Amino acid sequence: GAVVSQHPSRVICKSGTSVKIECRSLDFQATTMFWYRQFPKQSLMLMATSNEGSKATYEQGVEKDKFLINHASLTLSTLTVTSAHPEDSSFYICSAQIPGILIYEQYFGPGTRLTVT
Amino acid sequence: GQQLNQSPQSMFIQEGEDVSMNCTSSSIFNTWLWYKQDPGEGPVLLIALYKAGELTSNGRLTAQFGITRKDSFLNISASIPSDVGIYFCAGQLDNRKLIWGLGTSLAVNP
């Protein structure tokens, strides 16, 4: 149980284009999902918290107009990188939280490697 | 952003050896989580700890939630080559956000 998928696993796009990354919880409903980015040999950096049916909460320094998050259902959240630039190239990982009173475990997707040329 | 102090930064050991790594924080956490990340993959949850003093095992892995709620350790016994990867600790606040350690890179020599 607690499987999270991401699509695509890798994407290469040209500068100025937009890219959408999907995150799905396959065997549970996730009211809360998180989006992270990770640079090589570094820890995960939280970008935003995505709540089903409401606006995402962005971390300080993350441009909400550039990284659009939509959590339209209990099993799907999407991250759209708009007008991508080479500096947006990174490893993007989503996680989904199993809802519960005391249990706050996060389960991660396999990640999406974005390369902007 | 806030990060946890995780040590050691890297380890290179012989197969069969035991491994120990730890995380400390200046803040109190309600939950400590330990993850392993393989190259090009997302982190995989290894152990979750919910109570101060709690000692939990998962196969060859053992982790403890420090009594002060500001630290945690992870032990791996009898290491094998597939233990190679980066291990992250994460502390969780009431708002459910995870605060991450910088990771411990483990290399195992067969």
Side-chain angles (χ1 to χ4, degrees):
Chain A
V3 179
V4 177
S5 70
Q6 264 184 258
H7 178 79
S9 58
R10 291 178 178 270
V11 57
I12 300 173
C13 70
K14 292 186 177 180
S15 186
T17 61
S18 295
V19 174
K20 179 184 285 188
I21 302 171
E22 293 186 347
C23 177
R24 295 181 184 273
S25 57
L26 298 184
D27 51 1
F28 64 99
Q29 293 182 329
T31 54
T32 303
M33 291 184 173
F34 301 86
W35 285 96
Y36 296 83
R37 67 186 297 182
Q38 185 179 33
F39 293 106
K41 298 187 178 182
Q42 293 191 20
S43 189
L44 283 74
M45 184 189 79
L46 179 65
M47 299 175 65
T49 302
S50 171
N51 295 298
E52 187 269 336
S54 63
K55 291 183 178 180
T57 302
Y58 290 81
E59 294 300 299
Q60 189 173 6
V62 178
E63 300 176 59
K64 60 181 67 177
D65 293 331
K66 180 168 186 61
F67 299 100
L68 301 179
I69 291 173
N70 184 286
H71 194 154
S73 77
L74 289 172
T75 59
L76 174 64
S77 176
T78 60
L79 168 68
T80 300
V81 183
T82 63
S83 186
H85 289 104
E87 57 264 31
D88 297 325
S89 298
S90 189
F91 192 52
Y92 291 87
I93 316 174
C94 71
S95 71
Q97 195 157 52
I98 292 181
I101 297 175
L102 297 178
I103 297 176
Y104 294 147
E105 298 169 4
Q106 288 187 27
Y107 290 86
F108 286 81
T112 297
R113 173 74 59 191
L114 170 63
T115 303
V116 184
T117 60
Chain B
Q2 183 183 0
Q3 285 184 314
L4 304 177
N5 298 313
Q6 185 171 349
S7 65
Q9 185 176 2
S10 62
M11 302 180 74
F12 187 87
I13 62 171
Q14 293 294 122
E15 182 177 0
E17 290 184 355
D18 297 342
V19 172
S20 184
M21 58 192 80
N22 69 83
C23 274
T24 60
S25 169
S26 57
S27 304
I28 292 174
F29 289 108
N30 296 322
T31 303
W32 281 90
L33 304 171
W34 284 93
Y35 288 87
K36 177 177 182 259
Q37 186 177 27
D38 292 328
E41 299 288 334
V44 174
L45 181 64
L46 299 174
I47 292 179
L49 303 161
Y50 300 102
K51 295 180 181 180
E54 177 183 356
L55 183 70
T56 297
S57 294
N58 178 8
R60 294 179 295 106
L61 278 61
T62 302
Q64 184 159 31
F65 192 150
I67 195 71
T68 64
R69 296 166 61 193
K70 294 183 178 181
D71 63 302
S72 177
F73 72 75
L74 174 70
N75 287 341
I76 305 173
S77 63
S79 60
I80 60 178
S82 62
D83 291 334
V84 167
I86 301 178
Y87 292 80
F88 290 100
C89 63
Q92 194 160 47
L93 304 171
D94 283 341
N95 61 8
R96 306 187 181 188
K97 289 201 299 186
L98 292 179
I99 308 299
W100 292 84
L102 295 179
T104 295
S105 177
L106 177 64
V108 179
N109 190 28

Coordinates of all heavy atoms in Angstrom, one line a residue, chain A residues 31-32 34 36 38 42-44 46 49 59 91 93 97 100 102-111 113, chain B residues 3 31 33 35 37 40-45 48 50 86 88 92-98 100-103:
Chain A
T31 N -5.6 13.9 1.0 CA -6.1 15.3 1.1 C -5.0 16.3 1.0 O -5.2 17.4 0.6 CB -6.9 15.5 2.4 OG1 -6.0 15.2 3.5 CG2 -8.1 14.7 2.4
T32 N -3.8 15.9 1.3 CA -2.6 16.7 1.3 C -1.5 16.1 0.5 O -1.1 14.9 0.8 CB -2.1 17.1 2.7 OG1 -3.2 17.7 3.5 CG2 -0.9 18.1 2.7
F34 N 2.5 17.2 -1.3 CA 3.6 18.1 -1.2 C 4.4 18.0 -2.4 O 4.6 17.0 -3.0 CB 4.5 17.8 0.0 CG 3.8 17.9 1.4 CD1 3.1 16.8 1.8 CD2 3.7 19.0 2.1 CE1 2.4 16.8 3.0 CE2 3.1 19.1 3.4 CZ 2.4 17.9 3.8
Y36 N 8.3 19.0 -3.9 CA 9.6 19.3 -3.5 C 10.5 19.4 -4.8 O 10.1 18.8 -5.9 CB 10.3 18.1 -2.7 CG 9.6 17.9 -1.4 CD1 8.5 17.1 -1.2 CD2 10.2 18.4 -0.2 CE1 7.9 16.8 0.0 CE2 9.7 18.1 1.1 CZ 8.5 17.4 1.2 OH 8.0 17.1 2.4
Q38 N 14.8 19.0 -5.8 CA 16.0 18.5 -5.2 C 17.1 18.7 -6.2 O 17.0 18.3 -7.4 CB 15.9 17.1 -4.8 CG 17.1 16.5 -4.1 CD 17.0 15.1 -3.7 OE1 16.3 14.3 -4.4 NE2 17.6 14.7 -2.6
Q42 N 21.9 17.3 -2.8 CA 21.3 18.1 -1.8 C 20.1 17.5 -1.2 O 19.5 16.5 -1.7 CB 21.0 19.5 -2.3 CG 22.3 20.3 -2.7 CD 22.0 21.7 -3.0 OE1 20.9 22.3 -2.6 NE2 22.9 22.4 -3.7
S43 N 19.6 18.1 -0.1 CA 18.4 17.6 0.5 C 17.1 18.0 -0.3 O 17.3 18.8 -1.2 CB 18.3 18.0 1.9 OG 17.3 17.4 2.6
L44 N 16.0 17.6 0.1 CA 14.8 18.0 -0.5 C 14.3 19.4 0.0 O 14.4 19.7 1.2 CB 13.6 17.0 -0.2 CG 13.6 15.7 -1.0 CD1 14.7 14.8 -0.5 CD2 12.3 15.0 -0.9
L46 N 11.1 21.9 0.2 CA 9.7 22.0 0.0 C 9.3 23.2 -0.8 O 9.8 24.3 -0.5 CB 9.0 22.0 1.4 CG 7.5 22.1 1.4 CD1 6.9 20.9 0.7 CD2 7.0 22.3 2.8
T49 N 2.6 23.1 -0.4 CA 1.7 22.2 0.1 C 0.4 22.3 -0.6 O -0.2 23.4 -0.7 CB 1.5 22.4 1.6 OG1 2.7 22.4 2.3 CG2 0.5 21.4 2.2
E59 N 5.9 27.9 -0.2 CA 7.0 28.3 0.7 C 7.6 29.6 0.3 O 7.5 30.0 -0.9 CB 8.1 27.2 0.7 CG 7.6 25.9 1.3 CD 7.1 26.0 2.7 OE1 7.9 26.4 3.6 OE2 5.9 25.7 3.0
F91 N 15.2 18.0 -10.1 CA 14.5 16.8 -9.8 C 13.3 17.2 -9.0 O 13.5 17.7 -7.9 CB 15.4 15.8 -9.1 CG 14.9 14.4 -9.0 CD1 14.4 13.7 -10.1 CD2 14.9 13.8 -7.8 CE1 14.0 12.4 -10.0 CE2 14.4 12.5 -7.6 CZ 14.0 11.8 -8.8
I93 N 9.9 16.2 -6.9 CA 9.3 15.0 -6.3 C 8.1 15.4 -5.5 O 8.1 16.5 -4.9 CB 10.3 14.4 -5.2 CG1 11.7 14.3 -5.8 CG2 9.8 13.0 -4.8 CD1 12.8 13.8 -4.8
Q97 N 0.3 12.4 1.7 CA 0.2 12.1 3.1 C -1.0 11.3 3.4 O -2.1 11.6 2.9 CB 0.1 13.5 3.9 CG 0.3 13.3 5.4 CD 0.7 14.7 6.0 OE1 0.1 15.7 5.8 NE2 1.8 14.7 6.7
G100 N -4.9 11.0 8.8 CA -5.1 10.3 10.1 C -4.9 11.3 11.2 O -4.3 12.3 11.0
L102 N -3.2 10.9 14.1 CA -1.9 11.0 14.6 C -0.8 10.6 13.6 O 0.4 10.8 13.9 CB -1.8 10.0 15.8 CG -2.6 10.4 17.0 CD1 -2.5 9.4 18.1 CD2 -2.3 11.8 17.6
I103 N -1.2 10.0 12.5 CA -0.2 9.5 11.6 C 0.0 10.5 10.5 O -0.9 10.9 9.8 CB -0.7 8.2 11.0 CG1 -0.7 7.1 12.1 CG2 0.3 7.7 9.9 CD1 -1.3 5.8 11.6
Y104 N 1.2 11.0 10.4 CA 1.5 12.0 9.4 C 2.6 11.5 8.4 O 3.5 12.3 8.0 CB 2.0 13.3 10.0 CG 0.9 14.0 10.8 CD1 1.2 14.7 12.0 CD2 -0.4 13.9 10.5 CE1 0.3 15.3 12.7 CE2 -1.4 14.5 11.2 CZ -1.0 15.3 12.3 OH -2.0 15.9 13.1
E105 N 2.6 10.3 8.1 CA 3.7 9.8 7.2 C 3.5 10.2 5.8 O 2.4 10.2 5.3 CB 3.7 8.2 7.2 CG 3.9 7.7 8.6 CD 3.7 6.2 8.7 OE1 3.3 5.6 7.7 OE2 3.8 5.6 9.8
Q106 N 4.6 10.6 5.2 CA 4.5 11.1 3.8 C 5.2 10.0 2.9 O 6.2 9.5 3.2 CB 5.3 12.4 3.6 CG 4.6 13.6 4.1 CD 5.3 14.9 3.8 OE1 6.0 15.0 2.8 NE2 5.1 15.9 4.6
Y107 N 4.5 9.7 1.8 CA 5.0 8.7 0.8 C 5.3 9.4 -0.5 O 4.5 10.2 -0.9 CB 4.0 7.6 0.6 CG 3.9 6.7 1.9 CD1 3.0 7.1 2.9 CD2 4.7 5.6 2.0 CE1 2.9 6.3 4.1 CE2 4.6 4.8 3.2 CZ 3.7 5.2 4.2 OH 3.7 4.4 5.3
F108 N 6.5 9.1 -1.0 CA 7.0 9.9 -2.1 C 6.8 9.2 -3.5 O 6.9 7.9 -3.5 CB 8.5 10.2 -1.9 CG 8.7 11.2 -0.9 CD1 8.7 10.9 0.5 CD2 8.9 12.5 -1.3 CE1 8.9 11.9 1.4 CE2 9.1 13.5 -0.3 CZ 9.1 13.2 1.0
G109 N 6.6 10.0 -4.5 CA 6.7 9.5 -5.8 C 8.1 9.2 -6.3 O 9.1 9.6 -5.6
P110 N 8.3 8.7 -7.4 CA 9.7 8.3 -7.9 C 10.4 9.6 -8.5 O 11.6 9.4 -8.8 CB 9.4 7.3 -9.0 CG 8.0 7.6 -9.5 CD 7.3 8.1 -8.3
G111 N 9.7 10.7 -8.6 CA 10.4 11.9 -9.0 C 10.3 12.1 -10.5 O 10.1 11.2 -11.3
R113 N 12.6 14.1 -13.5 CA 13.8 14.9 -13.9 C 13.4 15.8 -15.0 O 13.1 15.4 -16.1 CB 14.9 13.9 -14.3 CG 16.1 14.6 -14.9 CD 17.0 15.2 -13.8 NE 17.4 14.2 -12.8 CZ 18.0 14.5 -11.7 NH1 18.2 15.8 -11.3 NH2 18.3 13.5 -10.8
Chain B
Q3 N 16.8 23.4 8.7 CA 17.2 22.0 8.4 C 17.8 21.4 9.7 O 18.2 22.1 10.6 CB 18.3 22.0 7.3 CG 17.7 22.2 5.9 CD 18.8 22.2 4.8 OE1 19.8 22.7 4.9 NE2 18.4 21.5 3.7
T31 N 7.1 14.0 15.5 CA 7.4 12.8 14.7 C 8.7 12.8 14.1 O 9.1 13.9 13.6 CB 6.3 12.6 13.6 OG1 5.0 12.6 14.1 CG2 6.5 11.3 12.8
L33 N 11.0 10.8 11.1 CA 10.9 9.8 10.0 C 12.3 9.6 9.4 O 13.1 10.5 9.3 CB 10.0 10.3 8.9 CG 8.5 10.7 9.3 CD1 7.8 11.4 8.2 CD2 7.8 9.5 9.8
Y35 N 14.2 8.1 6.0 CA 14.0 7.7 4.6 C 15.3 7.3 3.9 O 16.4 7.8 4.4 CB 13.5 8.9 3.7 CG 12.0 9.3 4.0 CD1 11.7 10.2 5.0 CD2 11.0 8.8 3.2 CE1 10.4 10.6 5.3 CE2 9.7 9.2 3.5 CZ 9.4 10.1 4.5 OH 8.1 10.5 4.7
Q37 N 17.0 7.1 0.0 CA 16.8 7.6 -1.4 C 17.9 7.0 -2.3 O 19.1 7.1 -2.0 CB 16.9 9.1 -1.5 CG 16.5 9.6 -2.9 CD 16.5 11.1 -3.0 OE1 17.1 11.8 -2.3 NE2 15.7 11.6 -4.0
G40 N 18.2 9.0 -8.5 CA 17.2 9.1 -9.4 C 15.8 8.6 -9.0 O 14.9 8.5 -9.8
E41 N 15.7 8.4 -7.7 CA 14.4 7.9 -7.2 C 13.9 8.8 -6.1 O 14.6 9.6 -5.6 CB 14.5 6.5 -6.6 CG 15.0 5.4 -7.7 CD 13.9 5.1 -8.7 OE1 12.7 5.2 -8.3 OE2 14.2 4.7 -9.8
G42 N 12.6 8.6 -5.7 CA 12.1 9.4 -4.6 C 12.5 8.7 -3.3 O 12.8 7.5 -3.3
P43 N 12.4 9.4 -2.2 CA 12.7 8.7 -0.9 C 11.7 7.7 -0.5 O 10.5 7.8 -0.8 CB 12.7 9.9 0.1 CG 12.8 11.1 -0.8 CD 12.2 10.8 -2.1
V44 N 12.2 6.7 0.1 CA 11.3 5.6 0.6 C 11.3 5.6 2.1 O 12.4 5.6 2.7 CB 11.8 4.2 0.1 CG1 11.0 3.1 0.7 CG2 11.7 4.2 -1.5
L45 N 10.2 5.6 2.7 CA 10.1 5.6 4.2 C 10.6 4.3 4.7 O 10.1 3.2 4.4 CB 8.6 5.8 4.6 CG 8.3 5.9 6.1 CD1 9.0 7.1 6.7 CD2 6.8 6.0 6.3
A48 N 9.1 5.2 11.0 CA 8.4 6.4 11.5 C 8.4 6.2 13.1 O 8.1 5.1 13.6 CB 7.0 6.5 11.0
Y50 N 6.9 8.0 16.7 CA 5.9 8.9 17.2 C 5.9 9.3 18.6 O 5.3 10.3 19.0 CB 4.5 8.3 16.9 CG 4.2 8.0 15.4 CD1 4.4 6.7 15.0 CD2 3.9 9.0 14.5 CE1 4.2 6.4 13.6 CE2 3.7 8.7 13.2 CZ 3.9 7.4 12.8 OH 3.7 7.1 11.4
I86 N 21.4 7.2 0.0 CA 21.4 8.4 0.9 C 20.3 8.3 1.9 O 19.1 8.0 1.5 CB 21.3 9.7 0.1 CG1 22.5 9.8 -0.9 CG2 21.3 10.9 1.1 CD1 22.4 11.0 -1.7
F88 N 18.0 10.0 4.8 CA 17.6 11.3 5.3 C 16.7 11.1 6.6 O 15.9 10.2 6.6 CB 16.7 12.0 4.3 CG 17.4 12.5 3.1 CD1 17.4 11.8 1.9 CD2 18.2 13.7 3.1 CE1 18.1 12.3 0.8 CE2 18.8 14.2 2.0 CZ 18.8 13.4 0.8
Q92 N 8.9 16.2 11.9 CA 7.6 16.7 11.5 C 7.0 17.6 12.6 O 6.9 17.2 13.8 CB 6.6 15.6 11.2 CG 5.4 16.0 10.4 CD 4.8 14.8 9.7 OE1 4.6 13.8 10.2 NE2 4.4 15.0 8.4
L93 N 6.5 18.7 12.2 CA 5.8 19.7 13.1 C 4.3 19.4 13.0 O 3.8 18.6 12.2 CB 6.2 21.1 12.7 CG 7.7 21.4 12.6 CD1 7.9 22.8 12.0 CD2 8.3 21.4 14.0
D94 N 3.6 20.1 13.8 CA 2.1 20.0 13.8 C 1.5 20.4 12.5 O 0.4 19.9 12.2 CB 1.5 20.8 15.0 CG 1.7 20.2 16.3 OD1 2.0 19.0 16.4 OD2 1.6 20.9 17.3
N95 N 2.1 21.3 11.8 CA 1.6 21.7 10.5 C 1.8 20.7 9.4 O 1.5 20.9 8.2 CB 2.0 23.1 10.1 CG 3.5 23.1 9.9 OD1 4.2 22.1 9.9 ND2 4.1 24.3 9.7
R96 N 2.4 19.5 9.8 CA 2.6 18.4 8.9 C 3.8 18.6 7.9 O 4.1 17.7 7.2 CB 1.4 18.0 8.1 CG 0.2 17.8 9.0 CD -1.0 17.3 8.3 NE -2.1 17.1 9.2 CZ -3.3 16.5 8.9 NH1 -3.4 16.0 7.7 NH2 -4.2 16.3 9.7
K97 N 4.4 19.7 7.9 CA 5.6 19.9 7.0 C 6.7 19.1 7.6 O 6.9 19.0 8.8 CB 6.0 21.4 6.9 CG 5.0 22.2 6.1 CD 5.6 23.5 5.6 CE 6.0 24.4 6.7 NZ 6.5 25.7 6.1
L98 N 7.6 18.6 6.7 CA 8.8 17.9 7.1 C 10.0 18.8 7.1 O 10.1 19.6 6.1 CB 9.0 16.7 6.2 CG 8.0 15.6 6.3 CD1 8.4 14.5 5.3 CD2 8.0 15.0 7.7
W100 N 14.0 18.6 6.9 CA 14.9 17.5 6.5 C 16.3 17.7 7.0 O 16.8 18.8 7.1 CB 14.9 17.5 5.0 CG 13.6 17.0 4.4 CD1 12.5 17.8 4.1 CD2 13.3 15.7 4.0 NE1 11.5 17.0 3.6 CE2 11.9 15.7 3.5 CE3 13.9 14.5 4.0 CZ2 11.3 14.6 3.0 CZ3 13.3 13.3 3.6 CH2 12.0 13.4 3.1
G101 N 17.0 16.6 7.2 CA 18.4 16.6 7.4 C 19.1 16.7 6.0 O 18.4 16.5 5.0
L102 N 20.4 16.9 6.0 CA 21.1 17.0 4.8 C 21.5 15.7 4.1 O 22.0 15.6 3.0 CB 22.3 17.9 4.9 CG 22.0 19.4 5.3 CD1 23.3 20.1 5.5 CD2 21.2 20.0 4.2
G103 N 21.2 14.6 4.9 CA 21.5 13.3 4.3 C 22.8 12.7 4.7 O 23.8 13.4 5.0

